[in-house]
Amino acid sequence: MTTLRFTADLWRWEAQTGWFFVTVGADASARIREVPRPPRGFGSVRVRATVGATSWTTSVFPDSSRGAYVLPVKKAVRRAEGLDEGDPADVVLEVLE
């Protein structure tokens, strides 16, 4: 299992203003891409994410405009960790597949 650690700012998706993400850094995204895996919807990759003391299972998604994967951060996580748009989030990702 690959574990990745990074810090990234929380941003709001303009197309759906209720969705928030952090961008997985270029090096971490490259490590995710280099592992062969069966294709999944939207190119997603299953991960276990941890921000602060909060962990959850989700997926990261490739974002061609950023050239990296993006991690959705749900409202419960943002509330539990006191995160707002533009705040830095310390993230640990465990790639599950």
Side-chain angles (χ1 to χ4, degrees):
M1 180 180 336
T2 301
T3 301
L4 308 165
R5 298 173 194 279
F6 61 93
T7 301
D9 292 343
L10 186 68
W11 54 272
R12 183 188 311 253
W13 187 23
E14 292 178 16
Q16 296 282 334
T17 59
W19 286 79
F20 288 80
F21 296 85
V22 294
T23 302
V24 178
D27 290 342
S29 288
R31 288 188 59 198
I32 294 169
R33 271 192 298 273
E34 73 187 13
V35 176
R37 59 183 55 86
R40 291 180 43 125
F42 303 105
S44 65
V45 176
R46 298 289 296 162
V47 298
R48 179 155 180 83
T50 302
V51 173
T54 307
S55 295
W56 72 105
T57 302
T58 187
S59 295
V60 292
F61 300 88
D63 182 335
S64 60
S65 67
R66 296 173 192 281
Y69 283 90
V70 295
L71 169 70
V73 181
K74 56 189 178 178
K75 187 175 188 176
V77 174
R78 298 191 315 269
R79 279 192 180 161
E81 298 304 323
L83 292 172
D84 245 335
E85 185 175 4
D87 289 346
D90 294 323
V91 180
V92 177
L93 282 185
E94 297 173 59
V95 180
L96 301 176
E97 45 183 37

